[in-house]
Amino acid sequence: MRVNPRRADWLMTLGLALATVIWLLAVEGRQGFGRDESQYMRAGERYWGWFEELATNLGQGKLRQSFAAPDIDHYWSDNAPDHPVIMKTLYGISWRAFHTCTCTGPARGLHPNPIRGRHRTLPLFSRDSTAFRFPAILFAALLVALVFRFARHWLSRPAAAVAAILTLAQPHYFFHAQIACFDAPIATMAFAVGFAYWKSLRDPRWGIAAGALFGVALGVKHNAWLMPFFLVAHYLWMRRGDLRARRLPRIPLAFLAMLVLGPIIFFLHWPWLWNAPIARTRAYVLRHLDHEHYNFEYLGWNWNQPPTTTGMKLLRATAPFVETGFTVPVTTLALAAFGAAALARRRREGALFPEAEPETPVAARPSWLRPGADVDRAPGAFVLVQTLGPLCVLAVPSTPIFGGVKHFLTAMPYLAILAGVGLTAISRGLEGALPLARARLRRAAPLALAVAVCLPAVLETRRSHPDGLAHYNLLAGGFAGGASLGMNRQFWGYSVLPMLPDLDGHVPENRSLFWHDVLSDAISMYKREGRLSLAVGDTGFGEDGIKRSELGILFYEKHWAKYEGWFWEIYGTTRPIYVRAREGVPLVTLYRRGAR
Amino acid sequence: MKWRFLSPPIRPLLIAAAVFLLALAETAVALLAPSRAPTEADWTAAAQEVRAGFRDGDLIVAAPAWADPILRVHLGDLIPIEVAGRLDDDRFARVWEVSQRGAHAPATAGGTLTLDKRFGRLTVRRVERHAEPVGYDFVARWADASVSRREAARTVACRNVGDRMQCPDLSFNYVHRQIVEVDTTLREALLAQPVAGAAVVIDYPAVRLGRVLVVATGLHDVWMRKAARGTVEMRVTVGGQTQVLPTTSDDSGWARTRIDTAARAGQVVPVRFEITSPAPYARHFAFAAEARG
């Protein structure tokens, strides 16, 4: 039975998305809550409170009250002006819809909104955090699906599937893909906007879609601000003929739609802006244009401000490239290099591969509705700009780098597509080199190669979990190699989760527990989910927190060293009672006062 | 002669084979690498070996250095705070190194290997080396010092308030023995913040000199190093002879200076440290010093 190719593609798309959801849901419970994630969960739940009150007010005929400044600010000031609210709202809604309610139990007081009764839900998830994380996981699945769909324009089904798999099977992306934050979702939205823009070059319907998607992207994370620059760069390159002829290229529908729909959607989605649009938009923009430089370890240095010397600026500029080189599976990188070469070698107006979408112009004249119809769309330049653009922005020495790879995750799907292109180029060569008489071998060898190149990525990703940020690739030497190179191991206190049973067992010392970088919101969530006894204490932050404590943890990051000094002095010992390590590399240390 | 091995039909095969082998190697490493890490049993056995031969005054180090916390879980009782926060490694005649993955600690360089045993994924090495015995530790003997603040028109005496030498009028103007973090490494040192328009003066009245006086300086606290860019100067006067140490800045790390005192070894002399800064805001200056040899 032959399956209709379109149907086969859709089946494959769904299969890949479903597999992504299953993989991420199967493992997310082993990953702890970072400072940011726990705040977003709290904010999402609080935002849900506004919707709940909106329904109540609607029932009581007091709808306007929900849109008055006090009501809006009561709910929507949480985590503002830091981040727009599309994802946080989705996290809140997902929590409300899918958690298994134990809300009226002993942890009732740990919710940011008062619990007035048992929630009626569709209890898909036993843990609250899974319900919060579910939308992020769906966004990751969407990205995998989109990569497959995009890649199918150029690649065979197996190669496109490989590109989709290699998008997910990157330890650092995988880490971010399962948590209720914005870095993986914005990678999805950046790809969606890029995809829509690409389609809009020859199909005006996608121009409008690009604008709408850009608006959504603006509501996900501020990385969206950069998207137009990358698209304009490609557009000018694609229409360089106009520039050579000294005429300005027409502004395409996609850019007009982005310009119009983007700000409208952004404004509409964020109630916090409604009562003071200009002042609050300004506050949001300034928050990120003038973002502080948190600490981050890179090649043995602790970076927490822009470098001042030429040597350090140069070293700092290498960060996104070296981090990519040390975190993406090496086989994926190698394939991407072949893919870049294949795209560079493509003849103008020729298809990338015989089965790929042709680049032959389909119209004689330029049109703002289909601005790529009369020219070669320059696919190589498109992928190059989308891959290198985010890295180059982070290479500017004055840019904060505290998030590591997460700051340029938007490049990773395109890197995976390059890998798919590389695989196809190699497979075609392989097929051509094998004797015609060995038909079965000619069919099997490329498939075997496709499976072989996915294996290391999947296994490395599996190996990295739940400490994806501490993981480095074959070039770097894994967890241990990354540590020896002085690369960042973690941030924001998520890696304590596997220690919770141990911490729970240290009674009564854990009544006075110093949590170091674990935010109280994260502790609350662990308690809400029953992973931590409600009796476990929190002595607060800094030196005084350690002085008040009997038991304390310390996360290994360079800039936290002085906390270890406080432990030594205040607890009177240099001897931890336990170190949580991955492959021998310390991540979290547990000290007990007076331990000998 | 054309090398047929690289003729066009072969090249794609070679490329495919290379990618396949790379994938295979990466897969193998992903599967096997976790087993290369030392186990709890390896650490326990290695610690037993060290304990059996340990003598007071020995130094125990981990290689690579990032394994140090795990080393201290097993042998931390033999690594007191003053050793963990040592000025440097030079005063230790015997160094125990617990290493993995072929790494070696700088502290073992140049010594004679007297023990080398494997315990699973760990190797215990004992290295004996030329050491510089410490005759006078300025940090440990901070209470011997008298501290003053020398302003343009007057000199203000500071007093011992139990855990520090506190100077009047300015709460931050004190000399305090503590663990400091310089260049993200912990040291036991004297913290002495400079004061605007004044010199913080620390006088040790009677120091028995050795062949060398080692002084290490640096700026404590990663947040303070981020907060300001001012520099700090230190002058050391040993029995009337003054030496200006290299300027301490955010980037200078834990900088050691060796002052040759061989000509006066064995003499008891006063030693003065003077600390000044043209921009003292957030300058948590720390130093340690030892008369050695």
Side-chain angles (χ1 to χ4, degrees), chain A residues 478-503:
Chain A
F479 286 94
S484 294
L485 286 163
M487 302 297 279
N488 189 265
R489 287 181 222 171
Q490 58 190 325
F491 47 69
W492 293 347
Y494 70 87
S495 52
V496 70
L497 189 143
M499 291 173 68
L500 292 183
D502 190 27
L503 294 177

Side-chain angles (χ1 to χ4, degrees), chain A residues 62-87:
Chain A
K62 299 186 294 186
L63 188 61
R64 288 179 67 174
Q65 191 173 311
S66 285
F67 295 90
D71 247 39
I72 284 184
D73 286 355
H74 175 70
Y75 293 103
W76 297 96
S77 290
D78 197 333
N79 198 238
D82 293 45
H83 294 290
V85 297
I86 284 184
M87 293 314 300

Side-chain angles (χ1 to χ4, degrees), chain A residues 402-424:
Chain A
F402 55 81
V405 175
K406 81 170 191 163
H407 284 168
F408 47 89
L409 274 185
T410 51
M412 297 310 165
Y414 292 98
L415 194 77
I417 286 174
L418 278 176
V421 173
L423 174 68
T424 305

